[in-house]
Amino acid sequence: MFTDVQDVLQNYRDAVYEQDVEKFLLSYAPNVHVFDCWEEWEYHGIEQWSTMVTEWFRRLAEEEMKLGVEIHKEAGKENAEMAYVHGSVSFAALDQTGKELRKMSNRFTFVMEKIDDSWRIVHEHSSLPIDMESGKAIFG
């Protein structure tokens, strides 16, 4: 149970690092709607999201790496039933010794709702700015 919005963010960081699909999905509502900046643009519901997350973690395991997550410039607001958090997030690919192999950042927004007394993400939006001349994403 996530009694605090920060609990959801900590679970996200921990679950990504541990590559634990079940733990990761605990942060999400069954009817979650995700706008992602990788592969598919949009996911409807926990089943579609689970498929993407399972594949993401499988590829990381295949490469024998962990993914460290840092959330930056976090801001948000909450009331008794709804909350939002936005900022940027960095993902650092780490080898077995903890050495950073590569790193990228993107922007995020989480909209959360209290469901059975626990915060759950009902909408997630991640994005990257686009260079207008080249049309390519900027991994800042």
Side-chain angles (χ1 to χ4, degrees):
M1 182 178 309
F2 305 113
T3 57
D4 189 84
V5 168
Q6 290 301 315
D7 296 340
V8 177
L9 300 179
Q10 188 60 52
N11 185 71
Y12 183 96
R13 284 189 287 265
D14 293 346
V16 169
Y17 184 79
E18 296 164 12
Q19 298 169 18
D20 186 329
V21 175
E22 286 184 36
K23 183 175 186 173
F24 185 85
L25 294 175
L26 287 174
S27 294
Y28 293 86
N31 64 339
V32 66
H33 185 205
V34 178
F35 288 125
D36 201 16
C37 56
W38 302 107
E39 298 175 21
E40 299 292 325
W41 282 38
E42 186 173 19
Y43 298 90
H44 293 276
I46 200 73
E47 287 182 26
Q48 279 189 343
W49 190 228
S50 174
T51 300
M52 192 292 298
V53 172
T54 300
E55 180 60 20
W56 177 30
F57 290 175
R58 185 195 62 75
R59 286 192 305 255
L60 289 170
E62 217 171 64
E63 293 183 61
E64 296 182 351
M65 66 178 61
K66 296 288 187 182
L67 203 57
V69 177
E70 293 179 46
I71 297 175
H72 311 279
K73 300 180 185 171
E74 171 196 327
K77 193 171 190 173
E78 70 181 85
N79 63 33
E81 297 300 319
M82 297 288 292
Y84 71 86
V85 179
H86 59 88
S88 65
V89 62
S90 295
F91 298 93
L94 310 169
D95 69 12
Q96 297 301 316
T97 68
K99 178 183 174 195
E100 188 175 297
L101 303 173
R102 61 184 181 266
K103 188 173 189 174
M104 60 88 45
S105 296
N106 63 282
R107 303 174 291 198
F108 77 92
T109 301
F110 293 140
V111 177
M112 298 180 212
E113 188 176 311
K114 270 275 179 80
I115 300 172
D116 297 326
D117 294 321
S118 183
W119 288 108
R120 297 281 191 259
I121 299 168
V122 294
H123 179 69
E124 177 179 331
H125 187 121
S126 65
S127 65
L128 297 164
I130 303 295
D131 179 279
M132 294 305 287
E133 290 187 27
S134 70
K136 294 183 179 183
I138 301 169
F139 294 87

